[in-house]
Amino acid sequence: DTAVSQTPKYLVTQMGNDKSIKCEQNLGHDTMYWYKQDSKKFLKIMFSYNNKELIINETVPNRFSPKSPDKAHLNLHINSLELGDSAVYFCASSPTTGSYGYTFGSGTRLTVV
Amino acid sequence: DQQVKQNSPSLSVQEGRISILNCDYTNSMFDYFLWYKKYPAEGPTFLISISSIKDKNEDGRFTVFLNKSAKHLSLHIVPSQPGDSAVYFCAVRGAQKLVFGQGTRLTINP
């Protein structure tokens, strides 16, 4: 039973399209995150939510919009996809915002063509 | 402006020898330092951590060293095993988030 599951695992789409990535955790954690692994391989935080409340919103284009319907789910919607959005997106969760023991999903590889 | 840097993109070590992975950070206010391990097509998994009040933490074959004056963190794996082949990410705990380096790909050769 996967602790943090992301869907889809792979996503290939054309520029200008809108797409969503879903994330669910069954660990009972309060905090969820979206990280982006860019072409330089850094894992950079995009957003974090604590019990459905937005905590961190890094410098991310407005085309990216997270949604947390409940504390077990954090989805990422991307409008008007651009070539530079191609990356691997990781969802993660932790017991609280101060925890450092993150549990990551297996990632979604997004390719924009 | 990267707060955490791993300057070696890759490292190759013979099985049984010691693997040493390095990490530098910029902010002396970070209070927790971590290493995560990542296999292909999987997410990173927590490996070992160290508090800023310590300079060494051991867990089996894995030891993390912290040099606060140099703002330097290292991970020692001894003896190295083939299953240790993976990408290792250094991370620091910042304000309500973990900040990661870009990873070092470790390959253990038989």
Side-chain angles (χ1 to χ4, degrees), chain A residues 5 30 32 34 53 55-56 63 71 75 86 94 100 104:
Chain A
S5 58
D30 283 345
M32 296 185 72
W34 278 111
E53 179 185 351
I55 301 297
I56 292 175
R63 299 181 294 102
K71 75 173 193 177
N75 304 321
S86 295
S94 68
Y100 56 78
F104 281 85

mmCIF file of all heavy atoms in Angstrom, chain A residues 5 30 32 34 53 55-56 63 71 75 86 94 100 104:
data_model
loop_
_atom_site.group_PDB
_atom_site.id
_atom_site.type_symbol
_atom_site.label_atom_id
_atom_site.label_comp_id
_atom_site.label_asym_id
_atom_site.label_seq_id
_atom_site.Cartn_x
_atom_site.Cartn_y
_atom_site.Cartn_z
ATOM 1 N N SER A 5 1.236 8.529 -3.144
ATOM 2 C CA SER A 5 1.070 8.098 -4.527
ATOM 3 C C SER A 5 0.747 9.284 -5.418
ATOM 4 O O SER A 5 -0.055 10.145 -5.051
ATOM 5 C CB SER A 5 -0.025 7.034 -4.638
ATOM 6 O OG SER A 5 -1.256 7.534 -4.148
ATOM 7 N N ASP A 30 0.007 15.844 8.320
ATOM 8 C CA ASP A 30 -0.710 17.115 8.206
ATOM 9 C C ASP A 30 -0.200 17.984 7.052
ATOM 10 O O ASP A 30 -0.916 18.853 6.577
ATOM 11 C CB ASP A 30 -0.563 17.922 9.496
ATOM 12 C CG ASP A 30 -1.468 17.408 10.603
ATOM 13 O OD1 ASP A 30 -2.400 16.635 10.304
ATOM 14 O OD2 ASP A 30 -1.239 17.784 11.766
ATOM 15 N N MET A 32 1.749 18.635 3.292
ATOM 16 C CA MET A 32 2.093 18.093 1.974
ATOM 17 C C MET A 32 2.818 19.152 1.157
ATOM 18 O O MET A 32 2.634 20.360 1.383
ATOM 19 C CB MET A 32 0.831 17.610 1.243
ATOM 20 C CG MET A 32 0.153 16.451 1.951
ATOM 21 S SD MET A 32 -1.255 15.771 1.047
ATOM 22 C CE MET A 32 -0.415 14.917 -0.304
ATOM 23 N N TRP A 34 4.837 20.142 -2.859
ATOM 24 C CA TRP A 34 5.225 19.890 -4.242
ATOM 25 C C TRP A 34 6.639 20.406 -4.436
ATOM 26 O O TRP A 34 6.934 21.569 -4.099
ATOM 27 C CB TRP A 34 4.289 20.584 -5.234
ATOM 28 C CG TRP A 34 3.034 19.832 -5.503
ATOM 29 C CD1 TRP A 34 1.761 20.161 -5.139
ATOM 30 C CD2 TRP A 34 2.916 18.580 -6.207
ATOM 31 N NE1 TRP A 34 0.873 19.209 -5.546
ATOM 32 C CE2 TRP A 34 1.545 18.219 -6.213
ATOM 33 C CE3 TRP A 34 3.828 17.727 -6.822
ATOM 34 C CZ2 TRP A 34 1.069 17.059 -6.806
ATOM 35 C CZ3 TRP A 34 3.357 16.566 -7.419
ATOM 36 C CH2 TRP A 34 1.991 16.249 -7.406
ATOM 37 N N GLU A 53 -4.307 24.266 4.394
ATOM 38 C CA GLU A 53 -3.981 25.689 4.361
ATOM 39 C C GLU A 53 -2.632 25.906 3.688
ATOM 40 O O GLU A 53 -1.642 25.245 4.043
ATOM 41 C CB GLU A 53 -3.942 26.255 5.782
ATOM 42 C CG GLU A 53 -3.584 27.729 5.853
ATOM 43 C CD GLU A 53 -3.440 28.224 7.283
ATOM 44 O OE1 GLU A 53 -3.794 27.461 8.204
ATOM 45 O OE2 GLU A 53 -2.966 29.350 7.477
ATOM 46 N N ILE A 55 0.865 27.158 3.075
ATOM 47 C CA ILE A 55 1.916 27.640 3.963
ATOM 48 C C ILE A 55 3.041 28.290 3.171
ATOM 49 O O ILE A 55 3.538 29.348 3.517
ATOM 50 C CB ILE A 55 2.487 26.491 4.819
ATOM 51 C CG1 ILE A 55 1.391 25.838 5.651
ATOM 52 C CG2 ILE A 55 3.623 26.987 5.698
ATOM 53 C CD1 ILE A 55 0.748 26.770 6.666
ATOM 54 N N ILE A 56 3.483 27.614 2.132
ATOM 55 C CA ILE A 56 4.600 28.101 1.320
ATOM 56 C C ILE A 56 4.149 28.201 -0.121
ATOM 57 O O ILE A 56 3.538 27.289 -0.662
ATOM 58 C CB ILE A 56 5.821 27.162 1.402
ATOM 59 C CG1 ILE A 56 6.425 27.189 2.796
ATOM 60 C CG2 ILE A 56 6.865 27.534 0.361
ATOM 61 C CD1 ILE A 56 7.551 26.202 2.993
ATOM 62 N N ARG A 63 0.608 30.278 -13.420
ATOM 63 C CA ARG A 63 0.013 29.177 -14.199
ATOM 64 C C ARG A 63 -0.059 27.889 -13.361
ATOM 65 O O ARG A 63 -0.775 26.961 -13.709
ATOM 66 C CB ARG A 63 0.856 28.900 -15.451
ATOM 67 C CG ARG A 63 0.946 30.087 -16.395
ATOM 68 C CD ARG A 63 1.780 29.756 -17.634
ATOM 69 N NE ARG A 63 3.176 29.507 -17.320
ATOM 70 C CZ ARG A 63 3.718 28.308 -17.244
ATOM 71 N NH1 ARG A 63 2.985 27.225 -17.479
ATOM 72 N NH2 ARG A 63 5.001 28.157 -16.961
ATOM 73 N N LYS A 71 -6.632 17.065 3.854
ATOM 74 C CA LYS A 71 -5.211 17.012 4.202
ATOM 75 C C LYS A 71 -4.495 15.801 3.623
ATOM 76 O O LYS A 71 -3.288 15.720 3.659
ATOM 77 C CB LYS A 71 -5.015 17.067 5.718
ATOM 78 C CG LYS A 71 -5.339 15.806 6.485
ATOM 79 C CD LYS A 71 -4.926 15.989 7.944
ATOM 80 C CE LYS A 71 -4.935 14.665 8.672
ATOM 81 N NZ LYS A 71 -4.473 14.812 10.072
ATOM 82 N N ASN A 75 -3.225 18.395 -5.088
ATOM 83 C CA ASN A 75 -3.129 18.297 -6.531
ATOM 84 C C ASN A 75 -2.441 19.541 -7.092
ATOM 85 O O ASN A 75 -2.442 20.610 -6.458
ATOM 86 C CB ASN A 75 -4.524 18.135 -7.137
ATOM 87 C CG ASN A 75 -5.250 16.931 -6.551
ATOM 88 O OD1 ASN A 75 -4.648 15.884 -6.315
ATOM 89 N ND2 ASN A 75 -6.545 17.086 -6.297
ATOM 90 N N SER A 86 8.891 21.380 -18.413
ATOM 91 C CA SER A 86 9.332 19.989 -18.447
ATOM 92 C C SER A 86 10.269 19.722 -17.281
ATOM 93 O O SER A 86 11.283 20.420 -17.111
ATOM 94 C CB SER A 86 10.051 19.683 -19.758
ATOM 95 O OG SER A 86 9.168 19.799 -20.851
ATOM 96 N N SER A 94 4.792 15.226 5.327
ATOM 97 C CA SER A 94 5.506 15.113 6.601
ATOM 98 C C SER A 94 4.487 15.260 7.732
ATOM 99 O O SER A 94 3.417 15.841 7.531
ATOM 100 C CB SER A 94 6.602 16.178 6.711
ATOM 101 O OG SER A 94 6.050 17.471 6.814
ATOM 102 N N TYR A 100 11.303 16.971 9.470
ATOM 103 C CA TYR A 100 12.249 16.857 8.366
ATOM 104 C C TYR A 100 12.192 15.491 7.688
ATOM 105 O O TYR A 100 12.802 15.291 6.657
ATOM 106 C CB TYR A 100 13.677 17.142 8.847
ATOM 107 C CG TYR A 100 14.134 16.273 10.005
ATOM 108 C CD1 TYR A 100 14.541 14.971 9.793
ATOM 109 C CD2 TYR A 100 14.166 16.779 11.298
ATOM 110 C CE1 TYR A 100 14.971 14.177 10.842
ATOM 111 C CE2 TYR A 100 14.584 15.995 12.354
ATOM 112 C CZ TYR A 100 14.988 14.694 12.126
ATOM 113 O OH TYR A 100 15.414 13.920 13.160
ATOM 114 N N PHE A 104 8.346 10.892 0.156
ATOM 115 C CA PHE A 104 8.124 11.351 -1.201
ATOM 116 C C PHE A 104 7.339 10.325 -2.016
ATOM 117 O O PHE A 104 7.433 9.106 -1.791
ATOM 118 C CB PHE A 104 9.457 11.585 -1.915
ATOM 119 C CG PHE A 104 10.126 12.879 -1.567
ATOM 120 C CD1 PHE A 104 10.935 12.972 -0.448
ATOM 121 C CD2 PHE A 104 9.956 14.000 -2.352
ATOM 122 C CE1 PHE A 104 11.555 14.166 -0.111
ATOM 123 C CE2 PHE A 104 10.573 15.203 -2.037
ATOM 124 C CZ PHE A 104 11.378 15.288 -0.914
#
